[in-house]
Amino acid sequence: MNSDATQSRTSELIAFLADVKFDVIPSSVVERAKELVLDHLGVALHSADLPWTRIVRSRVASRGGRPESTVFGSVQKSDRSYAALVNGTAAHGIELDDTHNRSFSHPGAVVISAALAVAEAQGNSGSEFLNAMIVGYEAQGRVGSAARGAVGRGVHPTAAAGVFGAAASCAHLMRMEPPKWESAFGLAASAASGVMQFAEDPQGNMVKRLHGGLPAMNGILMAELAGSGFTGPRGSIDGRFGFMQVFGGGGDPRALTDGLGDEWVVEQISIKLYACCRHFHSIIDALLTCRQQTPFSVEQVESIEVSAPAIALDGRLQYRPQSVMAAQYSLPYAVAATLLLDPRDPRSFSEKAARRQDMTSLMDRISAHADPDLDKYLPDRFPGAVCVRLTDGRNIRYMRPDSLGTTDYPLDRAQMISKFRALTSHIGATDWQDKVIDSVFSLDVAGDLSRLTGLLREAAPALNCR
């Protein structure tokens, strides 16, 4: 039996989340939340016509259900849980969705998918949606941070901690009292799942894409069950057999509550510019800086040596990736693609590109080692360094403590909009993009979400979606 002491931080977190009011959230947090919504939509829409999203959407369509929530890029609406499953899968489908360093997770794919589906179905206002989204980021980020050991145990934090983020956003939209939040979190702990075996398979697989959709769907279900009176245990995060102990191997309960109301997870989020594993981004930036400072051609490269924290290399040194997923998790491929292709373009990570002779030749000239000196930057920063050795004997070195798009090197709003336009250029004309952008940045004064969701359904013809 858990003692009151071990339950206190779970309960304290829940009490805070349940009481967050939109008018007390700092304006900087609200504005950042809008930018994250736009980023989420761009990534999810780009992924809407990819194989994994199509498979999930097809299965959802075959199940029917109440047409209440928009499936991104589709003319049809679906049950809120199913819409969250499809949209979350799409948003996590090209390795460009937002990230939270401390929790090693991707909150946007899960939380926004769940909150948007429920808010649309319930007819909530834009400010209510943003409020719930911000609360969901707090829950996922803090629970994942408290159980940071999860990734070392083979647990994927986005899927496992994400269910708490989705459940929190839905509980807030449903205006639950804290006792029912306790049950929602207690149920979420048993719905948490997600293992990292996808990173071990060089043949590739699709399951990681589901790690955005499954927790979004499950979080909605757990919140709805709790709202209907289905009870779950207290102390679900920091109890003796709670999430933090079972998934994280112990963890740090202080991460659940330290700085509540002063430090907002939304303001700790990084934006991904490159369609690959987050651990590679500083390495890519360092390599691009080397080439900018001392221009060189691929033919001039004798070798490239990468230095990184050990966690960035574990299971990520595949030299012959045979799928999109494997390429996105291959450090040699990401480095080679940086010089031969465009790492910002999801299409650069493909089976065809991985088989190119110039790509395999360059990958074979790339080596990597773990540098303990870089571990000091973790968990708040993901560092990386490169040394490019040229055939004329010159060595070009550069180290980045973290990548572009992070809190240390943030993107401004214009750059966020530019990313959205690039990802949706094949979907709608500039006029349509302008309307989506305006709708997102006026969410705080929107009476409901109908304008935004209507625009998302307009994307269906370009995506050939049903």
Side-chain angles (χ1 to χ4, degrees):
M1 179 75 68
N2 291 330
S3 68
D4 289 340
T6 59
Q7 293 175 19
S8 63
R9 287 192 185 266
T10 299
S11 298
E12 184 180 345
L13 173 62
I14 286 171
F16 171 80
L17 297 177
D19 194 46
V20 173
K21 303 291 192 302
F22 189 73
D23 58 3
V24 301
I25 299 174
S27 60
S28 61
V29 175
V30 173
E31 292 304 311
R32 182 57 167 169
K34 295 178 194 176
E35 292 174 347
L36 297 178
V37 172
L38 185 69
D39 189 66
H40 169 83
L41 296 178
V43 174
L45 286 168
H46 188 93
S47 184
D49 62 345
L50 296 179
W52 35 87
T53 310
R54 285 186 174 276
I55 292 171
V56 176
R57 186 170 54 245
S58 175
R59 296 309 307 158
V60 163
S62 71
R63 289 176 178 269
R66 184 167 48 191
E68 58 184 0
S69 299
T70 295
V71 175
F72 299 167
S74 174
V75 296
Q76 303 295 332
K77 288 187 177 184
S78 182
D79 172 85
R80 65 190 73 181
S81 296
Y82 289 152
L85 172 64
V86 179
N87 296 340
T89 300
H92 201 46
I94 52 173
E95 298 297 322
L96 275 174
D97 46 322
D98 67 27
T99 65
H100 181 237
N101 285 8
R102 294 180 187 177
S103 63
F104 280 115
S105 77
H106 299 258
V110 181
V111 171
I112 299 176
S113 298
L116 193 60
V118 172
E120 181 183 8
Q122 293 189 165
N124 291 103
S125 68
S127 62
E128 289 171 331
F129 158 68
L130 290 171
N131 194 349
M133 169 196 161
I134 291 165
V135 163
Y137 270 68
E138 285 292 303
Q140 179 168 335
R142 288 179 174 276
V143 172
S145 298
R148 276 187 52 79
V151 69
R153 295 160 67 89
V155 175
H156 189 218
T158 298
V163 69
F164 292 95
S169 66
C170 297
H172 204 279
L173 287 167
M174 296 166 66
R175 298 191 177 99
M176 286 187 188
E177 294 298 320
K180 288 192 173 181
W181 277 73
E182 289 269 12
S183 284
F185 273 35
L187 299 175
S190 286
S193 64
V195 297
M196 294 284 292
Q197 185 60 28
F198 62 80
E200 299 290 311
D201 182 4
Q203 298 294 331
N205 56 84
M206 296 181 180
V207 71
K208 184 177 186 287
R209 319 305 186 183
L210 277 175
H211 288 187
L214 280 176
M217 178 181 70
N218 288 338
I220 292 174
L221 177 59
M222 297 308 108
E224 289 182 331
L225 287 172
S228 298
F230 200 107
T231 57
R234 296 177 298 163
S236 58
I237 303 169
D238 60 342
R240 180 184 174 197
F241 296 120
F243 180 86
M244 197 174 67
Q245 181 63 42
V246 174
F247 285 79
D252 182 3
R254 295 172 298 180
L256 295 174
T257 56
D258 283 0
L260 277 175
D262 295 319
E263 301 174 6
W264 295 87
V265 170
V266 159
E267 294 191 311
Q268 300 167 358
I269 298 299
S270 299
I271 299 300
K272 295 182 71 174
L273 288 177
Y274 312 122
C276 59
C277 177
R278 169 71 176 85
H279 285 291
F280 304 162
H281 287 218
S282 290
I283 296 164
I284 291 171
D285 282 341
L287 182 58
L288 291 172
T289 300
C290 285
R291 188 164 62 174
Q292 182 180 31
Q293 292 182 345
T294 306
F296 59 85
S297 67
V298 171
E299 290 73 25
Q300 290 176 286
V301 175
E302 181 176 295
S303 65
I304 300 174
E305 184 175 3
V306 174
S307 304
I311 192 172
L313 307 180
D314 186 19
R316 297 176 174 89
L317 293 178
Q318 299 176 25
Y319 279 83
R320 294 295 183 269
Q322 299 174 43
S323 70
V324 175
M325 184 80 255
Q328 290 171 323
Y329 267 70
S330 163
L331 175 59
Y333 183 89
V335 172
T338 299
L339 297 182
L340 290 169
L341 300 169
D342 178 6
R344 295 190 183 208
D345 188 342
R347 294 169 297 183
S348 294
F349 295 83
S350 67
E351 297 93 333
K352 182 178 179 180
R355 293 193 295 268
R356 284 174 36 168
Q357 185 174 356
D358 57 348
M359 188 71 72
T360 58
S361 173
L362 184 54
M363 279 193 283
D364 287 340
R365 287 174 271 163
I366 297 166
S367 61
H369 72 275
D371 183 350
D373 289 339
L374 296 180
D375 288 341
K376 66 184 179 183
Y377 292 95
L378 300 171
D380 293 324
R381 297 170 180 83
F382 287 14
V386 296
C387 176
V388 181
R389 296 185 175 88
L390 302 181
T391 53
D392 61 10
R394 288 179 295 167
N395 291 335
I396 313 168
R397 304 175 188 272
Y398 201 81
M399 191 280 283
R400 288 291 300 256
D402 212 343
S403 57
L404 294 174
T406 61
T407 54
D408 286 334
Y409 309 97
L411 303 181
D412 60 27
R413 181 161 290 186
Q415 291 171 305
M416 299 282 289
I417 291 173
S418 178
K419 177 184 173 182
F420 172 79
R421 290 190 186 280
L423 288 173
T424 60
S425 61
H426 66 299
I427 296 173
T430 301
D431 179 61
W432 174 82
Q433 292 178 324
D434 289 343
K435 290 177 182 177
V436 174
I437 293 165
D438 178 70
S439 181
V440 168
F441 288 120
S442 59
L443 275 170
D444 52 330
V445 294
D448 59 32
L449 303 179
S450 59
R451 181 187 179 211
L452 175 60
T453 55
L455 289 166
L456 299 178
R457 291 193 298 278
E458 285 182 14
L463 295 168
N464 193 29
C465 296
R466 298 290 184 266

